[in-house]
């Protein structure tokens, strides 16, 4: 058994009412989610996800998208301060990118790992301090849910039904119990939820 430092593993993702993280048109179909992620409730929620995190774990696609966009926000005086705070954190923090195709990370303070998500996170828990945030990467969150390695879920529920797309909670996950730690609803009907795993 690998020793553990007690580091918490947290995960952040936005979902539609019918549980999808993208729409029926594929991975880039965020039409049912995009209108809600820039609200005050969503931005405040985003500020909470990283305040105790010292490591970001990302899938390759998210890493390429996020790290192609957020660094420019960090230096943008006109950006929302909450967006700038998150952007600066993402640039400065340790990043672990899970990929079977990349051989080296083209970003600062990032390393590429080609290994199962559960193994990578178990190794991260064995050293260091601070929370390990799996940042919107469903390809990483799913195997961690399957291995019961997530301690906290940050969910933004968007009040739309897409009728298709990729679903986060697949059948066959281990039965687990969660407690609702925080709940906030915005003017568009979006709801920010924080669930902690009951052990």
């Amino acid at each position: 058994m690998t020793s553990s430092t007690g580091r918490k593993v947290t995960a952040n993702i936005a979902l539609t009412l019918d549980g999808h993280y993208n729409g029926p048109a594929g991975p880039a179909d965020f039409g049912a989610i995009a209108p809600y992620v820039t609200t005050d409730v969503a931005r405040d929620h985003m500020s909470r996800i990283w305040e105790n995190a010292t490591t970001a774990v990302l899938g390759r696609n998210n890493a390429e998208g996020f790290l192609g966009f957020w660094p420019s926000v960090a230096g943008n005086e006109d950006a929302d301060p909450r967006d700038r705070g998150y952007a600066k954190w993402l640039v400065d923090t340790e990043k672990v990118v899970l990929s079977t195709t990349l051989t080296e990370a083209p970003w600062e303070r990032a390393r590429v790992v080609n290994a199962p998500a559960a193994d990578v996170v178990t190794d991260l828990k064995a050293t260091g301090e601070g929370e390990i945030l799996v940042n919107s990467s469903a390809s990483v969150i799913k195997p961690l849910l399957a291995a019961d390695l997530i301690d906290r879920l940050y969910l933004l529920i968007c009040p739309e039904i897409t009728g298709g797309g990729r679903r986060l909670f697949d059948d066959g996950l281990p039965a687990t119990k969660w407690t609702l730690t925080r709940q906030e609803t915005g003017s568009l009907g979006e709801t920010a939820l924080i669930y902690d795993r009951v052990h």
Side-chain angles (χ1 to χ4, degrees):
M1 180 80 185
T2 309
S3 65
S4 179
T5 56
R7 295 183 79 182
K8 269 190 177 173
V9 180
T10 67
N12 162 58
I13 200 162
L15 300 173
T16 60
L17 270 186
D18 52 346
H20 298 114
Y21 55 87
N22 57 34
D29 183 358
F30 295 116
I33 289 171
Y36 306 98
V37 296
T38 53
T39 65
D40 278 336
V41 162
R43 282 187 159 123
D44 289 345
H45 184 63
M46 189 72 143
S47 296
R48 283 189 285 275
I49 71 169
W50 60 266
E51 62 187 359
N52 296 313
T54 54
T55 304
V57 179
L58 299 152
R60 179 184 61 84
N61 288 339
N62 270 43
E64 289 176 346
F66 284 10
L67 297 169
F69 171 76
W70 283 106
S72 64
V73 176
N76 181 355
E77 297 287 337
D78 297 326
D80 185 288
R82 292 163 295 187
D83 290 354
R84 291 187 67 194
Y86 169 73
K88 285 177 179 172
W89 170 82
L90 187 63
V91 168
D92 293 342
T93 202
E94 173 195 29
K95 290 169 285 291
V96 178
V97 179
L98 300 188
S99 175
T100 56
T101 53
L102 284 179
T103 51
E104 57 184 56
W107 314 286
E108 287 183 32
R109 289 175 285 285
R111 60 191 169 94
V112 172
V113 181
N114 180 358
D119 294 352
V120 173
V121 165
T122 300
D123 287 346
L124 287 170
K125 282 176 65 106
T127 59
E129 55 188 31
E131 291 176 358
I132 300 159
L133 171 66
V134 185
N135 203 350
S136 288
S137 297
S139 63
V140 182
I141 298 172
K142 285 181 167 197
L144 295 182
L145 283 169
D148 194 14
L149 281 170
I150 293 181
D151 301 298
R152 170 172 278 190
L153 282 168
Y154 293 94
L155 302 177
L156 181 72
I157 306 300
C158 305
E160 297 196 21
I161 290 172
T162 58
R166 301 292 299 275
R167 201 180 289 280
L168 181 67
F169 300 109
D170 293 324
D171 285 348
L173 290 174
T176 52
K177 187 175 181 186
W178 301 76
T179 184
L180 181 62
T181 306
R182 187 182 179 105
Q183 175 181 351
E184 196 174 352
T185 302
S187 58
L188 299 179
E190 76 284 8
T191 303
L193 302 167
I194 301 177
Y195 281 102
D196 284 324
R197 172 81 169 88
V198 178
H199 289 286

